[in-house]
Amino acid sequence: MPEEALIVVDMQRDFMPRGALPVPGGDEIIPRCNEYIEEFRKRGALIVATRDWHPPNHISFKEQGGPWPAHCVQNTPGAEFVVDLPAGAVIISKATEPDKEAYSGFEGTDLAEILRKNGVKRVYVCGVATEYCVKATALDAVKHGFETYLLSDAVKGIRPGDEEQALREMKSAGVRIL
Ligand code: VGL
Ligand code: ZN
């Protein structure tokens, strides 16, 4: 049983430059994420990729009164992964219901159960955006009792100041920043 999992958060086309909700420099971490995926795969870790997977009328979209432009709509090119996932990777779709927002990969999904069933004790988190889905996922991982590591050279935030604050919050919650 793999004791470890790599959780790659929301590495999707719409969060990259020229996407619908771009994270500045989001594409710069693609090679690093791919290296981690390969390294963790080789050492037998479970590879998990979360994806934002919204219906077209999602509550978080401006058209619905939410804060964000429409992004990562289910089955559109903007929702596609930009990292290379191996066969056997576990894909976790989140925020799939029109009236519920979910930044964390654990929220409204089977992620915690899947990790537990696979014997996972430690999780390593990378991806975007640092101060939204990465932070929420890492904090929930701690809450679920996993030893949690942030791969800080493979995350990117929307705003640099918010990213710094998010790193401090994660650290004080018990996330180990690598
Ligand atoms: C995200 C804003 C809206 C994220 C998702 O993946 O961090 N941010 N939806
Ligand atoms: Zn979203």
Side-chain angles (χ1 to χ4, degrees):
M1 297 272 261
E3 298 244 307
E4 302 179 322
L6 172 68
I7 305 177
V8 182
V9 176
D10 297 8
M11 287 298 286
Q12 293 167 274
R13 206 161 292 288
D14 271 343
F15 293 124
M16 300 295 123
R18 292 179 302 281
L21 177 43
V23 174
D27 54 339
E28 291 164 17
I29 63 165
I30 295 173
R32 200 71 196 102
C33 288
N34 282 331
E35 282 168 14
Y36 279 127
I37 290 167
E38 190 55 13
E39 181 188 325
F40 277 86
R41 185 190 66 76
K42 280 188 189 147
R43 67 194 217 198
L46 186 72
I47 307 295
V48 176
T50 70
R51 64 181 178 187
D52 225 20
W53 195 245
H54 298 314
N57 60 339
H58 192 251
I59 190 174
S60 77
F61 297 170
K62 284 188 173 134
E63 294 83 348
Q64 262 61 242
W68 307 113
H71 62 279
C72 297
V73 174
Q74 296 167 6
N75 301 303
T76 64
E80 286 167 12
F81 287 115
V82 294
V83 289
D84 302 323
L85 296 170
V90 174
I91 293 171
I92 299 289
S93 303
K94 64 182 170 60
T96 60
E97 289 177 54
D99 56 343
K100 286 198 192 98
E101 177 60 305
Y103 287 139
S104 164
F106 289 90
E107 211 178 324
T109 73
D110 299 332
L111 179 54
E113 271 169 78
I114 291 169
L115 295 176
R116 238 172 257 124
K117 273 193 200 140
N118 279 278
V120 171
K121 306 267 185 294
R122 289 183 300 283
V123 304
Y124 295 79
V125 181
C126 64
V128 293
T130 312
E131 70 271 48
Y132 293 100
C133 292
V134 168
K135 180 180 91 171
T137 300
L139 293 180
D140 271 356
V142 172
K143 281 185 198 144
H144 280 96
F146 299 103
E147 202 177 301
T148 306
Y149 296 87
L150 185 80
L151 299 166
S152 65
D153 64 344
V155 298
K156 213 64 157 183
I158 296 178
R159 294 180 51 213
D162 294 349
E163 197 179 14
E164 285 304 305
Q165 168 66 19
L167 289 175
R168 283 195 294 274
E169 269 179 66
M170 285 187 262
K171 202 171 172 183
S172 59
V175 176
R176 295 162 213 210
I177 315 288
L178 298 179

